Amino acid sequence: MANLTLIREFLLLGFGSIHGLQFLLFGTFLGIYVMTLLGNILILTVTASDRSLQTPMYFFLSNFSFLEIWYTTSIAPKMLKTLLSGPEAISFAGCVTQFYFFGSMAVVECFLLAAMSYDRYLAICSPLRYPSLMNFHTCICLAGVSWLGGFLTPVVTVTMTFQLQFCASNEIDHFFCDLAPVLKLACSDPEEVEKTTFLMASFVTMVPFLLTVASYINIVSAVLRVPSATGKRRAFSTCSSHLIVVTLYYGTLGTVYAIPTATQAAALNKVFSLLYTVITPMVNPIVYSLRNKDVKNAVQRLLSEWKHGTKT
Ligand SMILES: *[C@@H]1O[C@H](CO)[C@@H](O)[C@H](O)[C@H]1NC(C)=O
């Protein structure tokens, strides 16, 4: 008890020793990160500049792209650094900050996905009342609540984690400071933190998840009542991109957090974590710009404007 040395710094081990592969992985993930930034910036630019995209649906899409930029930026730079130069030191406060930001963004993402599906639900199931129900004020409120809820939720966990003592090992076997691998290193009992976090995390993911599922059940049953096949396709086309993004996000998140960490190999956990921290933020703009006709047209208009701009 007397010579209990407290830990002030952690070491992020990243992907461990993968000799010879680190440059390949570094290049790949750098490419993915750059594409994520460019893709989401393109969505932000196009939704801000194109008249035909000034609707609630694209307001939420641009807000979502804005979120994805921060979401992946809370993870990617440190991860790239561990790939390039091996285990990376991170202060205790830095580690908790990273967890806080990542946790906040993940919650905002769940809330925004629910808001987006609610928007599609209103548009498809009550088209006549849609313009008055989903007005500018409602949009701002839904997005505002998402961001506020996201930033408030992890505060409890972070406060509790700050009160734990860390004294044994300081090596985090992961590429970012996720809560579970950090709690593994605590010498004081982390059970309270784990229980509270589990309860809060279940609440803030299950509620938006169930709202999203309920919206889609209503959407699908409304679409099935549309008589013609082309009518069905047209009704569903506005939400199919969103449905892909929702499925991908909850699918990967669920895989990591639903399987108990004890039975999960650290390596497998890292691979799945990569999917939802690095891969899904890149997929979102690709899905929207390839599948959504309005976005596709707006991107083409923007590109041709740029071409003309550089010529003159
Ligand atoms: C996203 O929504 C929030 C809350 O309404 C707002 O403050 C922010 O400016 C929005 N960002 C973008 C890029 O639309």
Side-chain angles (χ1 to χ4, degrees), residues 8 27 133 208:
R8 310 223 161 270
L133 288 176

Side-chain angles (χ1 to χ4, degrees), residues 44 47 58-67 112 139-148:
L44 281 176
T47 47
Y58 296 109
F59 166 78
F60 287 123
L61 178 62
S62 76
N63 215 284
F64 191 71
S65 281
F66 180 67
L67 165 73
L112 271 185
C139 290
I140 296 286
C141 275
L142 285 176
V145 167
S146 303
W147 284 89
L148 194 67

